[in-house]
Amino acid sequence: VSVTLREVLQADYGLYTWPASFVLARHLWRHRARYLHAQSPLPPRGIPPPPALAPSRPARVLELGAGTALPGLLLAKLGACVTLTDAVHQPEVLANLEAACRVNGLETSGPASPPPSGGGAPANLARSVSVCGLTWGTTDAVALQLASHGFDLVVGADVLYSRGRDFDRLLATVRLLLDHSEGGAGVFVTAYQHRSAHRSLEALIQLWGLEVRRVWQPGGDEDGHEDEDGAGPSSGLTVDVVEIVLASRSISRCNLKHDRL
């Protein structure tokens, strides 16, 4: 699988491919069986499944702060239904995302409609990539529409790079998206470069009803710490890959809320 990137060759936030993007893309490629397929919901008990019901469906994926979108474009080429998002106030980045999709032979569409009640991918998500502006930390119409898609996987490369209040906004959006995943089973996978600001990150994750499920660190072992998935000291920086999910108590509340709908 090859991905063509459109970028500027200088460190511009949205138009430059940062090291964490390569680390995250490599991780998603190596663990594609872990992330790329979600089980199709079964019909109610006593009702036979339709003959055409497949045992699984393509994963619904949203990339936060996509930038040049290496992870999202890779997942789209591997068959996932992908929505690429970046800041509303950066139209040049959103335009570049659409151009990158075309260069990679991927059909682009606007924000997709929510999935049908019987499961499966929305018609205008299948075999295409959606590009959408998204403001972190809001529950505006765009954020709520995106959340209603029930994304199985949310990804973001080096989105944990700024100040504490930006972490709050990011985690609020992650919480919104995971709350609306099927059964609260969605996962946020992020690759981030170690910086001093991360000292407060663990407390913020817990504050938002989230928890770290697994960490891949450079220089570890196959039980969850894989050298190939991170960037270690020899590269001049340290990048970890982390899976973040709803905390158990949050999943219980999420399922109760959905049962009442």
Side-chain angles (χ1 to χ4, degrees), residues 35-259:
Y35 299 121
L36 279 179
H37 293 281
Q39 295 301 310
S40 298
L42 295 175
R45 182 174 297 178
I47 299 178
L53 182 66
S56 64
R57 57 165 173 76
R60 292 191 287 263
V61 179
L62 182 140
E63 183 170 5
L64 293 169
T68 60
L70 173 57
L73 292 172
L74 172 65
L75 291 174
K77 285 202 162 188
L78 291 174
C81 300
V82 177
T83 297
L84 304 173
T85 69
D86 213 302
V88 174
H89 63 269
Q90 291 188 303
E92 70 282 2
V93 175
L94 298 174
N96 190 63
L97 286 172
E98 293 182 345
C101 291
R102 292 192 294 271
V103 167
N104 284 279
L106 298 166
E107 179 185 353
T108 58
S109 64
S113 302
S117 58
N124 65 326
L125 260 183
R127 296 180 300 278
S128 72
V129 179
S130 299
V131 175
C132 182
L134 175 64
T135 302
W136 295 350
T138 67
T139 52
D140 59 14
V142 173
L144 293 174
Q145 183 193 25
L146 286 172
S148 69
H149 299 161
F151 290 103
D152 309 294
L153 177 64
V154 180
V155 299
D158 215 6
V159 289
L160 302 168
Y161 60 83
S162 193
R163 298 173 297 274
R165 65 176 178 272
D166 296 319
F167 293 172
D168 258 322
R169 292 168 182 156
L170 169 67
L171 293 174
T173 295
V174 169
R175 176 62 195 267
L176 175 68
L177 294 168
L178 297 188
D179 265 343
H180 286 78
S181 61
E182 291 188 13
V187 58
F188 172 46
V189 182
T190 181
Y192 70 92
Q193 182 177 340
H194 284 210
R195 296 183 177 91
S196 59
H198 294 146
R199 288 176 296 182
S200 61
L201 181 58
E202 184 175 354
L204 274 177
I205 288 174
Q206 295 175 356
L207 180 65
W208 282 101
L210 305 168
E211 63 186 14
V212 173
R213 180 168 70 181
R214 192 168 180 183
V215 180
W216 286 263
Q217 295 176 318
D221 56 37
E222 287 295 326
D223 289 328
H225 304 277
E226 302 179 43
D227 188 40
E228 294 88 348
D229 282 354
S234 62
S235 65
L237 53 87
T238 301
V239 178
D240 290 349
V241 178
V242 180
E243 282 187 359
I244 295 173
V245 297
L246 288 174
S248 300
R249 64 184 184 279
S250 301
I251 293 176
S252 299
R253 289 198 296 268
C254 175
N255 288 335
L256 179 62
K257 178 180 66 178
H258 288 178
D259 288 343

